[in-house]
Amino acid sequence: MNDIRLADDDHGQDAIRRLSEIAQHHGLRIAVAESLTSGLVASEVGKGEKAGQWFAGGVVAYLYDVKQHVLGVEPDLDPCSPECAEQLAAGVRQLLDADIAVSTTGVGGPEPADGHPPGTVYLGWATATAAGHVRLHLGDEPDDVLPAAVDAAVALLADTAERAVASAR
């Protein structure tokens, strides 16, 4: 799944509306795991209509030992990798008993980290039956990277919810 509808100028409000409607109508439970975005995705998802009925919550796992011990990420895995993004999403989905989860990990910039250029972002997604990731390059300044990563993560949540509902029919 590499095709997500990136949010437009309304800063992801369309994606939040889509996610809210789908989650409410189909009784989905949603969760997020965040490294790169440090809680910004959870803050946006929590703005969704009646989020208290469908948003299980999120885990900010910035330090690697938290990723490993709380969310089950394999030891010594590159924190800026597709595998890490997928394991973060799967771990928070299981931890919070959610139907769908997304995660954010990467390099916010302005400097490279561990051989990865700034703006390298991986979003992970997980359902009960599948997991995947999306790789993005979002520039090299944190003021650009973080909001774009949040918008893309919310759009990925809405798209994943839509696909999950469609495949259940």
Side-chain angles (χ1 to χ4, degrees):
M1 175 196 293
N2 288 321
D3 297 330
I4 60 173
R5 289 182 271 180
L6 292 177
D8 53 20
D9 290 337
D10 66 3
H11 301 289
Q13 293 309 303
D14 179 56
I16 291 289
R17 280 191 294 276
R18 286 190 299 129
L19 179 62
S20 297
E21 290 170 8
I22 295 163
Q24 288 176 68
H25 188 261
H26 296 280
L28 296 177
R29 188 171 162 119
I30 307 298
V32 299
E34 300 182 71
S35 180
L36 171 70
T37 50
S38 297
L40 295 172
V41 175
S43 179
E44 284 303 306
V45 172
K47 294 175 185 176
E49 183 180 330
K50 298 184 182 179
Q53 296 175 6
W54 52 266
F55 181 39
V59 173
V60 174
Y62 211 75
L63 294 174
Y64 198 85
D65 65 323
V66 176
K67 290 176 178 73
Q68 183 180 353
H69 297 298
V70 176
L71 297 176
V73 173
E74 295 174 18
D76 302 319
L77 194 62
D78 181 351
C80 181
S81 68
E83 297 83 9
C84 185
E86 290 180 24
Q87 289 180 24
L88 287 168
V92 79
R93 191 195 70 75
Q94 183 176 13
L95 179 69
L96 299 180
D97 192 29
D99 298 299
I100 297 168
V102 298
S103 68
T104 63
T105 192
V107 181
E111 301 298 323
D114 299 323
H116 301 285
T120 302
V121 174
Y122 288 95
L123 305 178
W125 61 270
T127 67
T129 59
H133 69 277
V134 175
R135 183 184 189 277
L136 304 170
H137 183 76
L138 301 174
D140 57 7
E141 292 298 323
D143 288 345
D144 298 329
V145 173
L146 295 178
V150 169
D151 287 349
V154 173
L156 180 60
L157 259 176
D159 291 350
T160 303
E162 286 175 345
R163 286 183 175 101
V165 167
S167 70
R169 291 183 186 155

